[in-house]
Amino acid sequence: MSHHVRLGVVALAACCAAAGANAQPSADRGRAAFEHTCAPCHGKGGGNDGHAQLPGTEALAIKYRGTIPAALEDRTDLTADTIRAFVRNGTFSMPPFRPTELTNAEIADIAAYIAVSSKRAAR
């Protein structure tokens, strides 16, 4: 590959990355990201270990004792900044996620999805 072609590929990749970084949060993309990254621990339904809930949802049910919903998809208080703080730092048994594992744009998408899903849950 010639030097000019390589520079063109690098420039195109940078352009696409910048365009993705400026994209508006999307609940549709957020749902896909939530289902892939968050739902295995924080989704609704029973766990594979026989518990009534998945481990993250169960831990939040114990922590909040019904004062706020344990299922993240039912929460109205989770902003992108709040989610980002927990995702980047982790908490108790939840590991931190690096930006290479879950980007800030994906976190914003997840927050957009949770905002939509919590409105549905309130109905």
Side-chain angles (χ1 to χ4, degrees):
M1 186 181 300
S2 76
H3 177 71
H4 293 292
V5 172
R6 271 187 262 135
L7 286 178
V9 170
V10 171
L12 179 61
C15 176
C16 291
N22 294 327
Q24 292 294 323
S26 161
D28 289 335
R29 286 191 312 261
R31 179 178 182 205
F34 182 89
E35 288 176 357
H36 179 264
T37 307
C38 310
C41 288
H42 292 286
K44 297 178 183 182
N48 292 335
D49 59 358
H51 283 95
Q53 295 179 320
L54 294 167
T57 305
E58 184 172 25
L60 293 175
I62 292 167
K63 178 179 180 178
Y64 295 123
R65 298 184 181 140
T67 58
I68 59 177
L72 298 184
E73 292 170 283
D74 295 344
R75 300 273 299 269
T76 59
D77 61 325
L78 297 176
T79 65
D81 288 339
T82 301
I83 295 169
R84 187 173 26 262
F86 282 102
V87 166
R88 293 289 177 245
N89 299 307
T91 180
F92 301 105
S93 61
M94 180 180 156
F97 287 78
R98 296 179 300 263
T100 55
E101 296 170 306
L102 194 63
T103 67
N104 287 339
E106 289 169 319
I107 293 170
D109 290 341
I110 290 168
Y113 167 66
I114 289 174
V116 169
S117 67
S118 64
K119 287 178 186 169
R120 283 188 205 129
R123 290 183 199 165

